[in-house]
Amino acid sequence: MAELPRDSIMGAVAMSPLRSGEHVLAEWPADPAAYWRSHAVMAALGGVIAGVVLVAIGNPSPWVGPVAAVLALGARGWYVASEALEARWRLTDQRLQGPGGREVPLARLRLARRFLGDVQVITHSGDKYLMKYLADGAAVVAAIDAAKAGLAK
């Protein structure tokens, strides 16, 4: 499998170049604080669920579940961090570009909304994209909505 081109500034997978007359309105890199906060929430919920399950089945050591959940999710977070934190999204006056070559023309965007701590973008054809680990999801939704409306220039 061929390796994707890397951007020299952020180390992230490079996005396609801007088209003639296209202007960048905003760019959102993954936020480390949002990434670790998300993992902390998953670890807490996973720990509670694991503890409840172990109590329900009569395990004599239900404390093992929460400890294992926190350790597992901490290890996962550490292992995946370098890749997840390279992600970035770019909004232009013509399209929304994301990691992995994702590209959606603004005319195809139906909805941008907050989804838990992230932003979900839905196209008119029903395709869904999840913009994860953003510092300010509400500002991202507002910028996408403004670009769709042609207000941000």
Side-chain angles (χ1 to χ4, degrees):
M1 177 182 263
E3 186 170 323
L4 296 171
R6 297 273 170 178
D7 181 88
S8 61
I9 296 172
M10 295 184 70
V13 174
M15 294 180 185
S16 61
L18 295 177
R19 299 173 184 151
S20 177
E22 184 176 25
H23 303 285
V24 174
L25 302 176
E27 198 161 328
W28 302 286
D31 179 51
Y35 176 79
W36 289 112
R37 186 172 43 251
S38 171
H39 275 75
V41 168
M42 287 190 297
L45 290 174
V48 168
I49 292 168
V52 168
V53 167
L54 290 177
V55 166
I57 63 172
N59 189 300
S61 303
W63 61 269
V64 172
V67 170
V70 168
L71 290 175
L73 284 161
R76 181 217 181 264
W78 174 80
Y79 184 75
V80 178
S82 62
E83 182 179 333
L85 293 174
E86 283 184 348
R88 65 183 169 137
W89 290 84
R90 179 166 66 184
L91 178 66
T92 73
D93 54 358
Q94 298 178 16
R95 59 192 165 154
L96 178 65
Q97 297 177 290
R102 293 173 183 89
E103 247 181 55
V104 184
L106 290 180
R108 289 189 47 221
L109 292 180
R110 180 172 62 89
L111 175 69
R113 65 180 175 194
R114 298 287 312 269
F115 182 76
L116 302 174
D118 302 320
V119 173
Q120 183 182 42
V121 178
I122 304 172
T123 67
H124 290 291
S125 61
D127 295 330
K128 295 177 182 167
Y129 301 91
L130 190 61
M131 301 171 69
K132 299 190 321 186
Y133 314 125
L134 300 173
D136 186 359
V140 172
V141 170
I144 292 171
D145 288 344
K148 278 179 29 186
L151 301 174
K153 294 210 180 214

